[in-house]
Amino acid sequence: MSGLLLEDKNAVIYGGGGAIGGAIARVFAREGARVFLAGRTQAKLDAVAEDIAATGGTVETARVDVLDQQAVENHANAIAAAGGSIDIALNAVSVMHDQGTVLANLSLAEFMRPIDGFLRTLFITSKAVAPHMGRERPGVILTLSEPGAKLAVGGILGHAVSAAGKEAFARGLAAELAPRNIRVIDIRPHAVVDAPAAGSYTKDLFVQTAAAAGESVQELLEGGAMAQGTLLKRLPTLSEVAETAAFLASDRAGVMTGTVVNLSGGALVD
């Protein structure tokens, strides 16, 4: 019996060129999955694909706007037609949003941006892949949220509501899809300590929070105020998030569904 967790699985990763999506894609490929990367920036997708191909993994890329429902459905249909099924789907799409602005200064548009953006992509991608999953081949849909869903912290209204919505979406979808042998699990990492090296998203996201703490973003994440707010006094790494995702996507986690996997380092104790 193979020791690979995801041997012969077809895995599509939306946002596959990003820090978290790319890290998970590399581990999925290492564990034997055929990886299909989708995103809006071809250069970022190609960088991840080159890493996977260099280690002997099987990977394809497609430039897809995840807010274009027809394009996402066409892409999913093409994967299923070529591979016979979609076994794993991960939505790792990032939506830039405000953190640090309180209600008095927050516009409706900025409040709604993460709520509409994150939940719209979850609906579109889940609806596209679900018809090609499950039945005789177990299917897994993985989503990503953040501790903001439960933190009582000011200045993160849109972020908090969108995070809570993503977790509620995963639970509700799990109930719908369980009879078809499809599991749905939300992964809730805290800010990822080594994500800034992969791009500016994390740096831009936490600039206000860092300034309020009198720290740089790097200091905030690496032992500063955000890390000190966890039980472990540190934040998760990309590797830890990716390795957890591979386990959850595998048959070894076959009884897990409708739940949130807490990777906050103890910032939240569920």
Side-chain angles (χ1 to χ4, degrees):
M1 185 176 70
S2 171
L4 298 178
L5 287 175
L6 305 177
E7 187 171 24
D8 295 329
K9 303 281 190 182
N10 296 319
V12 57
I13 300 178
Y14 300 99
I20 293 179
I24 292 175
R26 294 179 183 95
V27 174
F28 278 9
R30 185 200 72 199
E31 292 297 331
R34 293 181 291 270
V35 178
F36 298 85
L37 303 176
R40 291 191 295 183
T41 306
Q42 189 65 49
K44 291 183 177 180
L45 298 173
D46 288 344
V48 177
E50 287 171 8
D51 288 346
I52 291 172
T55 59
T58 303
V59 60
E60 295 183 18
T61 68
R63 190 171 181 272
V64 179
D65 182 352
V66 293
L67 293 174
D68 183 336
Q69 186 170 8
Q70 190 60 59
V72 174
E73 290 181 357
N74 290 344
H75 177 245
N77 292 343
I79 292 173
S85 69
I86 296 174
D87 304 300
I88 304 160
L90 166 71
N91 187 311
V93 174
S94 298
V95 176
M96 184 54 67
H97 57 279
D98 176 87
Q99 290 199 30
T101 303
V102 298
L103 176 64
N105 301 318
L106 187 68
S107 70
L108 176 60
E110 194 56 58
F111 170 71
M112 289 300 301
R113 180 154 57 145
I115 300 168
D116 181 76
F118 280 121
L119 295 180
R120 189 180 292 266
T121 68
L122 271 183
F123 178 88
I124 289 172
T125 58
S126 299
K127 189 174 178 67
V129 300
H132 306 295
M133 304 181 91
R135 303 178 184 88
E136 69 279 0
R137 284 176 68 102
V140 183
I141 295 176
L142 299 176
T143 65
L144 289 164
S145 65
E146 304 84 21
K150 289 193 172 184
L151 289 174
V153 175
I156 61 167
L157 284 174
H159 166 71
V161 173
S162 68
K166 287 184 279 187
E167 295 185 3
F169 181 91
R171 291 187 181 99
L173 187 63
E176 287 192 22
L177 298 182
R180 291 172 47 194
N181 199 22
I182 302 172
R183 299 186 292 117
V184 185
I185 301 173
D186 180 80
I187 304 171
R188 184 205 289 153
H190 208 320
V192 181
V193 68
D194 48 354
S200 64
Y201 176 80
T202 301
K203 294 177 183 177
D204 294 341
L205 188 62
F206 293 117
V207 64
Q208 290 191 70
T209 304
E215 301 173 330
S216 68
V217 173
Q218 205 71 22
E219 290 169 338
L220 181 78
L221 300 176
E222 295 180 356
M226 190 171 286
Q228 291 304 308
T230 72
L231 292 180
L232 295 178
K233 307 304 179 188
R234 70 175 184 87
L235 299 174
T237 65
L238 283 172
S239 176
E240 288 170 329
V241 175
E243 297 291 346
T244 301
F247 168 74
L248 295 173
S250 76
D251 294 339
R252 296 184 191 181
V255 77
M256 294 181 67
T257 194
T259 192
V260 175
V261 176
N262 183 2
L263 300 184
S264 72
L268 296 176
V269 182
D270 291 323

